[in-house]
């Protein structure tokens, strides 16, 4: 790409402007065989008329000036020039509008025939680096913000899905005389992505508009911005595995205490009372024993190897404690102490010191300001708050704050079991991407929940998440959805890349299920955690109330699933057990007299059907207890079943019994359908070729 090198190199060297004008940008595109309306530069009126006449058709004239970014705003674009007189007038109008001194030249180019107006762009996101954007132009982008993003590099599948996910996709596919050449468009998007990979100095691109035709497309306007710095993921400390953090054979606790109520008491008590399987070394200046375990005055005095050190000393003493642990050769350090960057400049300085130390020794550091890790599979509870008995589950949770995780854990332990809960605090070193990678490889974990405020791993997050979601579902709640503090931007694309839109697109790109809130996240997690994945989109709904059956039908269809169609012999079998007054065969409506036996018989018919991928059973709240044993005794032949119980929050005990029997219970058919749909889509991902 010699021309691109030359133009970009010149602009970066000049340093006067970071802006590549339309003709410069187009010449970079043309080098890649991207179709544009081109443009010949005229330096006088006579030249402009000559170029126009040589074009032999309607033309467009545009101002060429390094000081003008939005040409048409100030009268710098003249359209539909159809004779020499108009050409002359257009030229002099442009000169008059901007003043001779400000105009480098006037670009004369053919007037493109109308097509579907689209916008293709690049912006650089502070978190994920370069992003590719696609959307429909004009009113679609201005009013509806109908655009999609993907983190670069993009795959052909990414490009297809970003085209398909915009609301205007129907138009592109072909509707009311409109249509776009989708293969050509996909190719264009891949080329723009490739251009930025080859030239990371390009920070922003607007191809706005691109006219899309039933055959081909043409880039009508282009601008680019460059700078000398290429964005990228931040450097990491070391490449050592983080698995030790989760499965240590020995833990030292700096600040372990005998005074009940102190955090150092809580953490050590959690380790002892949950029967941590490895060796424990409390470090305490005064005591010979902490909670019955032999104590040491300094980390340097500990005899055997130490896999993990938990640091719980006051903030001011923490950097020194970290240094001592590093010097002792401990590779994994959990800093639970608080009072750092979250409190201001001094705290940030202390963090920087710890970071330098860790880097120097090649140690990994979790926290500070976190509540450590819980791994029920190694009986390890490092939490700052006292934690009650836990089951050994298959759900992983990654959270920033300990209090949040503790609250979830305390309440949810009745209806779901976590395997690993990792709190990452201020993410000085180990961040959500790192933990996601470890949980992705952990055989004890089969579904991962994440609470995210911001992502630190940059593009690495996309790559890791994408790899993990090919085998395990990842469900995330992302907060901080507003755009406070966004810096001023020059390109249209950048102005559209709001934080929330970017996260939405990136989650989609990596196959992460984005949940509205905690409630939905754990609803989905329970489905994945307790039930097999549906193989077919067909759902058999069994209900005691017609209205709930109808609602479930709507919800199933709205979530991309459908009602299953039983085979004729199964229909006959089902009819023979249905009471006379019921109408349809799906939803199967047994009315208020429905019994556990009815549900069992229906499910036994449903499991025989090739079209039934899953069951939603809508049960009477007031007799929920009668269903627990019969429903958990059925052979579902690998098909998932979800229960829906209106007002379930008032029959807590029965709900807990049902959940403990392995059947998730949801309050509304909508939630049940959302969960099933996430499970079905995940199954498609798992089965799809790489
Ligand atoms: P701006 O710098 O204001 O974005 P553009 O080059 O995009 O300037 O021109 C403004 C509008 O004029 C475009 O959105 C498009 O509708 C129309 N236009 C510009 N160039 C052409 C062209 N060569 N053929 C057809 N329409 C054009
Ligand atoms: Mg434009």
């Amino acid at each position: 790409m010699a021309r691109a090198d030359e133009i970009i190199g010149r602009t970066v060297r000049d340093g006067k402007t970071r802006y590549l004008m339309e003709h410069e940008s187009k010449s970079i595109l043309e080098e890649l065989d991207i179709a544009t309306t081109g443009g010949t530069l005229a330096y006088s009126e006579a030249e402009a008329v000559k170029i126009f006449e040589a074009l032999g058709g309607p033309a467009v004239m545009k101002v060429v000036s390094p000081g003008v970014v939005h040409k048409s705003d100030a009268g710098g674009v003249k359209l539909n020039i159809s004779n020499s007189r108009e050409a002359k007038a257009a030229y002099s109008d442009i000169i008059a509008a901007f003043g001779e001194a400000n105009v480098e030249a006037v670009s004369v180019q053919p007037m493109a025939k109308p097509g579907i107006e689209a916008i293709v762009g690049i912006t650089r996101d502070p978190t994920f680096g370069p992003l590719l954007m696609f959307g429909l132009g004009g009113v679609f982008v201005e009013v509806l913000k109908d655009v999609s993003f993907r983190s670069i590099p993009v795959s052909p599948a990414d490009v297809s899905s970003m085209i398909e996910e915009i609301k205007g996709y129907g138009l592109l596919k072909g509707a009311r005389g409109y249509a776009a050449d989708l293969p050509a468009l996909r190719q264009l998007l891949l080329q723009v992505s490739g251009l930025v990979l080859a030239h990371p100095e390009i920070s922003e691109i607007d191809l706005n508009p691109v006219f899309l035709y039933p055959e081909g497309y043409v880039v009508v306007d282009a601008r680019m911005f460059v700078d000398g710095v290429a964005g990228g993921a931040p450097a990491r400390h070391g490449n050592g595995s983080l698995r030790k953090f989760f499965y240590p054979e020995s833990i030292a606790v700096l600040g372990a205490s005998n005074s009940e109520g102190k955090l150092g008491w809580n953490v050590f008590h959690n380790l002892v009372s949950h029967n941590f399987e490895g060796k424990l070394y409390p470090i305490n200046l005064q005591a010979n024993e902490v909670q019955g375990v032999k104590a040491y005055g300094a980390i340097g005095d500990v005899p055997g190897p130490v896999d993990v050190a938990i640091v719980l000393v006051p903030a001011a003493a923490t950097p020194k404690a970290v240094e001592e642990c590093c010097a002792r050769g401990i590779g994994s350090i959990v800093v639970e102490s608080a009072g750092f960057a979250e409190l201001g400049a001094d705290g940030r300085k202390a963090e920087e010191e710890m970071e330098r130390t860790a880097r120097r020794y090649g140690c990994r550091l979790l926290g500070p300001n976190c509540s450590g890790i819980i791994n029920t599979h190694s009986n390890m509870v490092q939490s700052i708050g006292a934690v009650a008995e836990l089951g050994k589950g298959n759900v992983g949770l990654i959270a920033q704050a300990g209090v949040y995780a503790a609250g979830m854990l305390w309440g949810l332990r009745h209806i779901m079991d976590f395997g690993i809960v990792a709190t990452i605090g201020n993410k000085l070193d180990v961040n959500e991407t790192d933990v996601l990678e470890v949980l992705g490889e952990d055989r004890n974990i089969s579904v991962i929940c994440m609470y995210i405020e911001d992502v630190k791993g940059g593009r690495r997050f996309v790559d890791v998440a994408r790899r993990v979601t090919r085998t395990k579902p990842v469900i995330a709640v992302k907060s901080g959805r507003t755009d406070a503090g966004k810096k001023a931007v020059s390109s249209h694309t950048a102005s559209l890349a709001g934080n929330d839109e970017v996260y939405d697109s990136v989650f989609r790109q990596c196959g992460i299920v984005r949940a509205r809130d905690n409630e939905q996240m754990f609803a989905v997690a329970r489905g994945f955690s307790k039930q097999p994945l549906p193989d077919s989109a067909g759902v058999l709904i069994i209900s005691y109330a017609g209205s709930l059956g109808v609602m479930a039908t709507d919800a199933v269809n709205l979530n991309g699933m459908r009602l299953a169609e039983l085979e004729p012999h199964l229909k006959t079998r089902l009819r023979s057990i249905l009471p006379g007054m019921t109408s349809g065969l799906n939803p199967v409506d047994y009315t208020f007299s429905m019994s556990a036996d009815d549900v069992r018989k229906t499910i036994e018919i449903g499991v025989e059907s090739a079209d039934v991928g899953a069951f939603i059973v809508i049960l009477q709240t007031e007799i929920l207890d009668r269903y627990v044993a019969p429903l958990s005794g059925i052979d579902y032949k690998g098909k998932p079943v979800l229960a829906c119980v209106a007002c379930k929050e008032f029959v807590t005990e029965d709900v807990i019994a049902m959940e403990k029997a392995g059947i998730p219970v949801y309050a509304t058919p909508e939630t049940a359908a959302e969960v099933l749909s996430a499970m079905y889509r995940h199954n498609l991902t798992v089965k799809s070729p790489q």
Side-chain angles (χ1 to χ4, degrees):
M1 285 189 254
R3 214 180 312 162
D5 286 337
E6 195 270 313
I7 295 171
I8 293 168
R10 178 162 27 90
T11 311
V12 171
R13 262 193 319 277
D14 273 7
K16 277 193 230 114
T17 163
R18 329 167 19 238
Y19 165 53
L20 303 190
M21 287 176 279
E22 176 177 332
H23 67 286
E24 297 171 310
S25 306
K26 278 181 172 173
S27 101
I28 293 177
L29 299 174
E30 280 156 14
E31 201 181 3
L32 297 169
D33 285 330
I34 292 172
T36 81
T37 49
T40 308
L41 302 194
Y43 296 90
S44 70
E45 188 180 283
E47 235 180 342
V49 174
K50 225 169 104 193
I51 299 166
F52 162 75
E53 283 167 355
L55 282 178
V60 173
M61 285 196 202
K62 301 184 191 179
V63 63
V64 175
S65 164
V68 179
V69 176
H70 299 283
K71 301 174 294 285
S72 51
D73 285 358
V77 177
K78 303 287 174 194
L79 300 173
N80 220 358
I81 299 164
S82 49
N83 57 48
S84 308
R85 189 178 41 79
E86 284 174 10
K88 243 175 163 167
Y91 184 88
S92 54
D93 283 354
I94 289 177
I95 300 292
F98 294 90
E100 188 110 45
N102 300 321
V103 179
E104 202 173 285
V106 167
S107 156
V108 186
Q109 54 190 264
M111 172 96 183
K113 64 179 195 308
I116 302 177
E117 272 194 48
I119 164 166
V120 172
I122 295 286
T123 179
R124 206 186 276 164
D125 182 74
T127 301
F128 297 106
L131 296 177
L132 176 66
M133 183 192 84
F134 170 70
L136 291 196
V139 64
F140 289 97
V141 62
E142 300 302 338
V143 183
L144 304 174
K145 295 208 174 6
D146 187 15
V147 293
S148 57
F149 295 89
R150 289 293 181 274
S151 158
I152 284 176
V154 292
S155 67
D158 287 336
V159 159
S160 298
S161 67
M162 76 188 288
I163 296 171
E164 285 160 25
E165 86 188 31
I166 67 165
K167 296 186 198 80
Y169 176 58
L171 214 59
L172 300 179
K173 244 183 2 186
R176 300 187 165 230
Y178 290 95
D181 183 341
L182 293 176
L185 174 59
R186 284 193 282 264
Q187 171 73 7
L188 170 65
L189 289 168
L190 287 169
Q191 282 174 307
V192 172
S193 159
L195 172 64
V196 179
L197 282 180
H199 293 281
E201 318 90 300
I202 300 176
S203 55
E204 292 171 43
I205 298 180
D206 270 343
L207 309 186
N208 182 21
V210 179
F211 288 178
L212 305 176
Y213 302 124
E215 265 176 59
Y217 65 84
V218 66
V219 176
V220 170
D221 179 27
R223 56 174 151 261
M224 299 184 188
F225 295 87
V226 297
D227 60 28
V229 231
R236 309 182 57 215
H237 283 172
N239 297 318
S241 161
L242 294 177
R243 209 176 143 79
K244 271 248 164 81
F245 273 107
F246 297 84
Y247 293 91
E249 285 173 15
S250 50
I251 302 178
V253 181
L254 286 79
S257 167
N258 279 319
S259 323
E260 209 172 323
K262 277 197 156 181
L263 299 184
W265 189 89
N266 285 356
V267 172
F268 203 73
H269 182 73
N270 278 330
L271 287 165
V272 172
S273 65
H274 287 268
N275 302 315
F276 172 64
E277 289 160 357
K279 280 203 146 42
L280 286 176
Y281 301 110
I283 312 297
N284 184 305
L285 271 178
Q286 284 109 33
N288 295 327
E289 267 192 7
V290 171
Q291 301 181 33
V293 182
K294 180 177 167 38
Y296 298 85
I299 186 72
D301 302 340
V302 175
V306 177
D307 286 342
V308 163
I310 300 176
V311 177
L312 259 169
V313 299
T318 300
K320 189 163 165 274
V322 167
E323 166 107 49
E324 285 167 8
C325 293
C326 289
R328 170 72 177 68
I330 302 169
S332 312
I333 303 174
V334 181
V335 182
E336 298 196 19
S337 320
F340 295 94
E342 74 275 16
L343 294 189
D346 280 352
R348 201 160 302 119
K349 256 180 76 200
E351 280 195 355
E352 281 162 15
E353 194 184 333
M354 289 191 282
E355 198 181 7
R356 272 196 307 273
T357 308
R359 211 181 276 271
R360 185 150 43 89
Y361 285 95
C363 294
R364 300 304 306 258
L365 208 142
L366 180 70
N369 190 21
C370 73
S371 192
I373 293 171
I374 294 176
N375 183 356
T376 58
H377 298 281
S378 59
N379 294 341
M380 180 180 74
V381 177
Q382 303 177 345
S383 309
I384 275 179
V387 173
E389 200 181 326
L390 297 170
K392 293 184 195 300
N394 59 357
V395 180
L397 171 65
I398 304 171
Q400 221 144 332
V403 223
Y404 165 87
M408 298 301 146
L409 204 63
W410 189 86
L412 288 168
R413 79 198 141 99
H414 298 289
I415 55 167
M416 69 189 284
D417 289 325
F418 288 93
I420 290 177
V421 178
T423 61
I424 49 182
N426 293 4
K427 308 191 269 192
L428 188 55
D429 169 26
V430 174
N431 59 37
E432 52 283 301
T433 307
D434 300 317
V435 178
L436 179 61
E437 191 169 35
V438 178
L439 298 196
E441 286 161 8
D442 192 312
R443 281 167 192 230
N444 290 319
I445 299 301
S446 51
V447 38
I448 300 169
C449 296
M450 301 181 83
Y451 169 76
I452 295 178
E453 274 163 27
D454 63 330
V455 160
K456 260 197 167 173
R459 171 68 199 196
R460 205 173 84 81
F461 175 80
V462 179
D463 295 333
V464 167
R466 197 175 216 174
R467 206 168 58 233
V468 172
T469 57
R470 291 209 58 92
T471 54
K472 289 179 198 184
V474 177
I475 311 147
V477 169
K478 163 78 180 73
S479 67
R481 304 184 68 148
T482 49
D483 269 332
K486 197 165 162 49
K487 66 171 171 48
V489 288
S490 11
S491 68
H492 206 129
T493 303
S495 74
L496 288 163
N499 182 297
D500 204 52
E501 289 76 12
V502 169
Y503 272 95
D504 225 42
S505 291
V506 165
F507 283 179
R508 223 172 283 200
Q509 183 174 8
C510 21
I512 292 178
V513 180
R514 183 170 188 176
R516 276 189 298 277
D517 51 23
N518 290 325
E519 182 82 25
Q520 200 198 17
M521 174 160 73
F522 295 117
V524 175
R526 296 206 309 284
F528 276 111
S529 158
K530 299 181 185 197
Q531 290 288 322
L533 300 175
D535 275 324
S536 141
V539 182
L540 185 61
I541 298 167
I542 305 166
S543 179
Y544 71 92
S547 54
L548 287 167
V550 176
M551 281 189 231
T553 305
D554 282 350
V556 158
N557 284 307
L558 286 170
N559 281 284
M561 310 282 286
R562 56 180 174 77
L563 293 181
E565 178 80 22
L566 294 179
E567 289 78 351
H569 73 282
L570 295 174
K571 279 185 179 158
T572 312
R573 244 176 85 188
L574 181 56
R575 258 192 218 102
S576 71
I577 60 166
L578 280 176
M581 55 196 164
T582 55
S583 43
L585 289 176
N586 189 12
V588 193
D589 177 11
Y590 280 102
T591 76
F592 60 91
S593 62
M594 182 172 85
S595 70
D597 208 41
D598 294 331
V599 175
R600 180 185 52 77
K601 283 184 186 149
T602 313
I603 288 174
E604 281 167 0
I605 293 170
V607 294
E608 302 294 330
S609 167
D611 198 44
V612 173
F615 300 94
I616 292 180
V617 291
I618 302 170
L619 306 173
Q620 303 97 311
T621 317
E622 55 278 27
I623 55 166
L624 183 58
D625 58 333
R626 288 190 216 160
Y627 285 94
V628 177
L631 251 57
S632 57
I634 298 171
D635 178 7
Y636 293 90
K637 308 218 165 136
K639 299 184 182 188
V641 58
L642 308 183
C644 179
V645 177
C647 304
K648 74 171 175 94
E649 56 274 40
F650 305 106
V651 288
T652 317
E653 266 173 47
D654 299 344
V655 170
I656 291 176
M658 190 67 98
E659 290 270 1
K660 287 222 148 97
I663 299 174
V665 183
Y666 303 108
T668 64
E670 286 76 10
T671 309
E674 283 164 7
V675 174
L676 265 188
S677 152
M679 292 167 70
Y680 179 62
R681 275 179 286 131
H682 178 70
N683 202 14
L684 292 182
T685 310
V686 171
K687 284 189 187 151
S688 72
Q690 287 277 351

